Amino acid sequence: MIKTIATTPYTDQKMGTAGLRKKSKVVMQPNYVENFMQSIFNTIGDLSGKVYLVGGDGRFYNDIAIQKIIKMAAANGVAKLIIGKDGFISTPAGSHIILKNKADGGFVLSASHNPGGENGDFGIKYANESGGQAPSSVTDKIYQNTKEIKEYKIFDAPDIDLSKIGTQKLGDMVIEIIDPVTDYVNMMQEIFDFEAIKKLFRSGFTMRFDAMNAVTGPYAQRIFEEILGAPKGSVVNFRPLPDFGGLHPDPNLIYAKELVDLMFSDKAPDFGAANDGDGDRNMILGKKFFVTPSDSLAILTDNYQLIPAYKKGIFGVAKSAATSSAVSRVAKAHNIGYYEVPTGWKYFVNLMDSNRITFCGEESFGTGSSHIREKDGIWAVLFWLNIIAVTGKSVEEITLEHWKKYGRSYYMRFDFEGISTEVADKLMADLEEKLPSLNGRNFGTYKVSKAAPFVYNDPVDHSSTKNGLVITFEDGSRIVYRLSGTGSSGATLRVYLEKYETEALLEDPLKMLKDILEIAMNTAEISQRTGKQKADVIT
Ligand code: VG1
Ligand code: CO
């Protein structure tokens, strides 16, 4: 019943910032998923006794890819698969299942915040036994394997029914179908003060959670409406759809438009939040008020004592280099460890495993803690609700008080999308060459204090990673340039800007960052090289 099928390699199966991410049509090519999965299995080696989690965000091709993975796992000698009912699991819930069951890893079928559907994107995130995504040292080996693969193994059997919770077998492999929501909900109840949040809703507090027709709908309905008592209808777009109902499930001011329009209208509820396709990103809004993810990380960290699971104390905190410096000031005030890593959650995993950090976050709407090894959208929403419940303050009040205490890092990100890879690579290479000559140079009132690539030396495994180019000015303002590693075609240049202010706390970020934006555009010759006068997406 086990078939060995001859295949030829694809040359593009390299994992990026967070797994393999491609156009759905690319993944639908013959043997594409099979080659990739076999390469992972080959890289792991002996699979006897091994247990893996499998599930996805429900996007187009989830159902087909998952059946291939199940049959290949059985053929390759995997002992057991734990699978979310109907093939669904959010990225954070998946990480939790891996840790809780001491599994050897997992596969989350998602292209995260990228659009779905036949003309959208598909992806596979590969986690190892840490519960976090495999490090580059491993993904490099897998990529090597994909370039040499000659055959794969697959079980010749009918599709497995994923709709019933319980245990079944395929050959010698055990398949356990689980409710993907229950364990996750229990974990959240252990972390946060649910009683305080229930009381908050009983007092008339209102919220809107937009699941963007992606995986977190069932989690959000269970937690916010059924358990915490938010009015029915508080969770919208709660049904996971293969094409996300045409939405782009990226929770930011542009793509979560319906939510943003409501929150900036006179009908705004007290609190608004959204998650991305696979449930690891979050956006936090108050009435007519938006909290940047960088500020959110700083505010959560500053308030850790209000949360039952953290009140006895936390280890340090980490952020990606591109994220604003806001949390660094909180770390200093609380006298806890502080780390800066390259973009991508996998770089936080060693820091969590070695008890160096408890919280971490990225400017790209990712926040989380060491309760799992992925960022966690619903966790961040509950953290905010818990703070609001205990302090009785609004999102805006909490944020303004934070700025008064610590100052404000005005922060924005500018994305230049759909650039040819050649142009983008050359822009970065030329800019890197130019950096040393910028040291000490004046741009108007801004003086460069340091211009260099960002290099991270992991204190745990001693690997070294270069990611992005950073220009720092004497007043602490910064420009970070890097190329996206999650796109499915062409290149996206991301330009991250920040400026620190202690007096003018209520200005328009674009106005505050206008001069730095001009310096960033000119220094990298963005318009000349890309033909774009302005960014395609600004967040
Ligand atoms: C983007 C973000 C990064 C995030 C990654 C995965 O990567 O910038 O911060 O970790 O997406 O997010 P890039 O390389 O395109 O900038 V998601 O929600 O996969 O899981
Ligand atoms: Co995601």
Side-chain angles (χ1 to χ4, degrees):
M1 289 215 265
I2 294 172
K3 281 190 176 169
T4 302
I5 313 260
T7 188
T8 47
Y10 287 95
T11 52
D12 64 346
Q13 298 194 317
K14 190 172 167 50
M15 288 189 244
T17 313
L20 184 74
R21 222 164 270 198
K22 298 287 167 194
K23 291 268 166 238
S24 299
K25 291 222 166 104
V26 169
V27 181
M28 289 159 76
Q29 296 174 93
N31 296 342
Y32 197 89
V33 170
E34 290 86 340
N35 279 14
F36 181 68
M37 290 306 301
Q38 189 65 51
S39 301
I40 295 180
F41 290 144
N42 291 348
T43 305
I44 298 169
D46 184 10
L47 292 161
S48 56
K50 294 251 192 297
V51 179
Y52 294 97
L53 160 98
V54 192
D57 63 9
R59 68 177 64 219
F60 176 83
Y61 212 58
N62 195 137
D63 50 351
I64 296 176
I66 201 166
Q67 294 290 343
K68 292 178 194 253
I69 294 172
I70 295 168
K71 291 171 195 174
M72 288 185 67
N76 278 280
V78 168
K80 182 177 170 183
L81 290 182
I82 304 172
I83 305 179
K85 183 175 175 296
D86 299 319
F88 285 13
I89 195 100
S90 74
T91 289
S95 179
H96 176 233
I97 298 286
I98 295 170
L99 292 169
K100 187 181 164 224
N101 293 280
K102 299 198 168 52
D104 298 286
F107 307 98
V108 174
L109 312 183
S110 174
S112 192
H113 58 286
N114 298 21
E118 188 166 359
N119 294 311
D121 289 356
F122 190 78
I124 302 179
K125 292 182 176 181
Y126 166 49
N128 61 16
E129 73 285 352
S130 71
Q133 288 169 55
S136 312
S137 56
V138 176
T139 58
D140 286 350
K141 280 189 198 134
I142 295 168
Y143 179 47
Q144 267 312 315
N145 217 292
T146 63
K147 293 193 282 191
E148 293 154 9
I149 188 160
K150 294 196 175 68
E151 57 184 38
Y152 65 86
K153 283 190 197 152
I154 189 156
F155 214 90
D156 190 13
D159 281 359
I160 301 294
D161 179 3
L162 303 177
S163 69
K164 279 186 216 74
I165 289 172
T167 304
Q168 45 187 305
K169 277 191 108 174
L170 179 59
D172 292 333
M173 186 178 76
V174 176
I175 296 171
E176 190 191 344
I177 314 276
I178 58 158
D179 167 10
V181 179
T182 303
D183 278 342
Y184 179 83
V185 173
N186 291 342
M187 171 175 58
M188 290 300 121
Q189 282 179 299
E190 280 166 23
I191 297 174
F192 297 106
D193 187 346
F194 269 47
E195 288 313 312
I197 304 173
K198 274 183 204 170
K199 217 170 130 197
L200 178 70
F201 282 116
R202 273 204 304 275
S203 75
F205 185 84
T206 51
M207 86 180 268
R208 159 95 42 118
F209 179 92
D210 194 333
M212 303 195 84
N213 298 320
V215 79
T216 48
Y219 296 83
Q221 278 190 321
R222 180 98 57 96
I223 293 174
F224 301 123
E225 293 185 5
E226 288 168 29
I227 301 177
L228 293 171
K232 221 173 161 27
S234 299
V235 177
V236 297
N237 296 320
F238 52 80
R239 214 167 281 122
L241 299 174
D243 65 348
F244 306 122
L247 292 182
H248 182 164
D250 192 352
N252 61 36
L253 292 174
I254 291 154
Y255 296 126
K257 190 174 182 310
E258 203 184 307
L259 176 71
V260 173
D261 285 349
L262 174 74
M263 294 307 297
F264 282 87
S265 78
D266 291 333
K267 292 198 191 90
D270 298 309
F271 182 78
N275 275 185
D276 73 333
D278 61 333
D280 55 359
R281 296 186 177 205
N282 74 89
M283 174 167 66
I284 302 293
L285 299 155
K287 270 186 205 280
K288 300 189 183 177
F289 195 83
F290 162 67
V291 185
T292 69
S294 298
D295 280 339
S296 181
L297 174 65
I299 291 166
L300 300 189
T301 305
D302 199 35
N303 285 288
Y304 74 88
Q305 280 151 337
L306 302 182
I307 309 299
Y310 308 118
K311 70 163 171 267
K312 286 210 193 90
I314 54 171
F315 299 116
V317 62
K319 70 166 190 79
S320 66
T323 303
S324 97
S325 313
V327 76
S328 71
R329 297 186 286 274
V330 177
K332 205 167 167 205
H334 288 273
N335 194 23
I336 54 173
Y338 168 73
Y339 300 84
E340 257 189 40
V341 306
T343 292
W345 210 261
K346 57 191 173 205
Y347 297 103
F348 294 128
V349 171
N350 281 341
L351 299 176
M352 292 194 245
D353 282 345
S354 60
N355 288 343
R356 283 175 164 81
I357 62 165
T358 300
F359 296 146
C360 42
E362 295 186 283
E363 54 65 42
S364 56
F365 298 82
T367 336
S369 92
S370 54
H371 63 293
I372 52 168
R373 297 295 179 271
E374 289 278 6
K375 52 192 184 272
D376 192 340
I378 287 184
W379 173 91
V381 175
L382 284 167
F383 204 138
W384 270 94
L385 288 174
N386 199 150
I387 296 175
I388 293 166
V390 176
T391 61
K393 290 175 185 156
S394 71
V395 172
E396 182 172 0
E397 285 166 338
I398 292 166
T399 310
L400 295 185
E401 281 182 17
H402 183 87
W403 290 338
K404 278 190 198 133
K405 190 165 154 195
Y406 289 104
R408 176 175 179 187
S409 288
Y410 284 93
Y411 182 88
M412 289 178 92
R413 185 180 99 195
F414 299 78
D415 290 342
F416 300 84
E417 297 182 337
I419 310 172
S420 86
T421 317
E422 235 183 12
V423 168
D425 288 343
K426 179 113 179 33
L427 182 152
M428 290 298 283
D430 290 349
L431 181 59
E432 184 168 348
E433 212 166 286
K434 188 170 171 183
L435 288 183
S437 73
L438 299 179
N439 278 303
R441 237 178 89 179
N442 290 304
F443 292 89
T445 55
Y446 292 95
K447 185 170 184 193
V448 176
S449 60
K450 189 180 172 194
F454 175 73
V455 178
Y456 178 60
N457 296 309
D458 189 308
V460 179
D461 67 17
H462 305 293
S463 62
S464 182
T465 308
K466 194 163 99 174
N467 188 271
L469 306 173
V470 188
I471 300 174
T472 309
F473 298 94
E474 277 185 347
D475 71 343
S477 297
R478 295 193 315 151
I479 305 170
V480 179
Y481 302 86
R482 57 177 288 280
L483 297 182
S484 159
T486 58
S488 58
S489 63
T492 294
L493 170 68
R494 302 202 198 281
V495 181
Y496 312 79
L497 306 180
E498 75 169 291
K499 179 179 167 61
Y500 179 55
E501 275 288 333
T502 50
E503 304 295 327
L505 299 176
L506 297 173
E507 300 298 325
D508 172 20
L510 192 55
K511 184 183 138 208
M512 298 303 280
L513 294 166
K514 200 174 145 280
D515 294 344
I516 302 174
L517 175 61
E518 204 182 308
I519 300 169
M521 294 287 291
N522 292 340
T523 306
E525 301 167 2
I526 294 176
S527 296
Q528 295 92 305
R529 287 166 182 259
T530 68
K532 290 173 189 281
Q533 296 311 311
K534 59 183 184 45
D536 299 282
V537 177
I538 302 173
T539 49

